[in-house]
């Protein structure tokens, strides 16, 4: 695949940074680099409205990405920043069109290697977009051709399908015993 895209990586910082680093270090050059600017606790004033927070995420963090890749580890489903990043990515704003969206189930996730994922343990907004046909979810695979293919597919899909951004915004991180 000859077309290259800027990819924003959304992930759970405490648990899944090794996978993000592998993507950036090993595959970054071949994929025209990753937009390595995810939102961390404290980056944005927590007292702003949800709409303003999503706008800041979109316009300041995701700015020039064309595809958002969600790395789905064991606890990613409950992270408010992942929810905000997905929601911001699929919004069209004054300065930035929506990105494509793709999910990658990591080897640390209980559903890795299975034919289907458990809906309760992936980010709900990502699941909504799989359901409406805007996004797809794949298992982690260290294969550059595969990554290029799914990223390009998400890029093309971003204008062909209307995303579902109706899920209520997370107010805080969620947790459960898995």
């Amino acid at each position: 695949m000859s077309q290259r895209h800027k990819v924003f990586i959304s992930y759970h910082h405490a648990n899944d940074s090794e996978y993000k680093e592998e993507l950036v270090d090993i595959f970054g050059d071949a994929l025209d680099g990753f937009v390595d600017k995810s939102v961390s606790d404290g980056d944005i004033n927590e007292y702003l409205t949800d709409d303003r927070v999503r706008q800041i995420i979109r316009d300041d963090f995701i700015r020039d990405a064309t595809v958002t890749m969600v790395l789905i580890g064991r606890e990613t489903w409950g992270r408010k920043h992942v929810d905000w990043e997905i929601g911001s990515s699929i919004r069209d704003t004054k300065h930035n069109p929506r990105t494509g969206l793709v999910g990658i189930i990591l080897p640390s996730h209980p559903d890795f290697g299975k034919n289907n994922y458990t809906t309760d343990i992936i980010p709900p907004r990502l699941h909504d977009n799989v359901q409406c046909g805007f996004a797809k979810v794949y298992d982690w695979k260290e294969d550059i051709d595969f990554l290029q293919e799914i990223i390009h597919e998400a890029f093309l899909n971003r204008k062909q399908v209307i995303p579902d951004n109706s899920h209520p915004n997370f107010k805080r991180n969620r947790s459960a015993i898995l």
Side-chain angles (χ1 to χ4, degrees), residues 72-74 105-122 137-140 178:
I72 308 165
R74 184 173 188 82
I105 295 178
L106 300 176
S108 61
H109 192 277
D111 291 334
F112 179 77
K114 296 180 180 176
N115 290 333
N116 296 307
Y117 61 80
T118 306
T119 58
D120 293 346
I121 54 176
I122 72 159
V137 173
Y138 302 91
D139 276 345
W140 171 268
L178 298 178

Side-chain angles (χ1 to χ4, degrees), residues 74-75 77 110 120-121 174-178:
R74 184 173 188 82
E75 297 177 0
W77 66 271
D120 293 346
I121 54 176
R174 299 173 181 183
S175 62
I177 299 172
L178 298 178

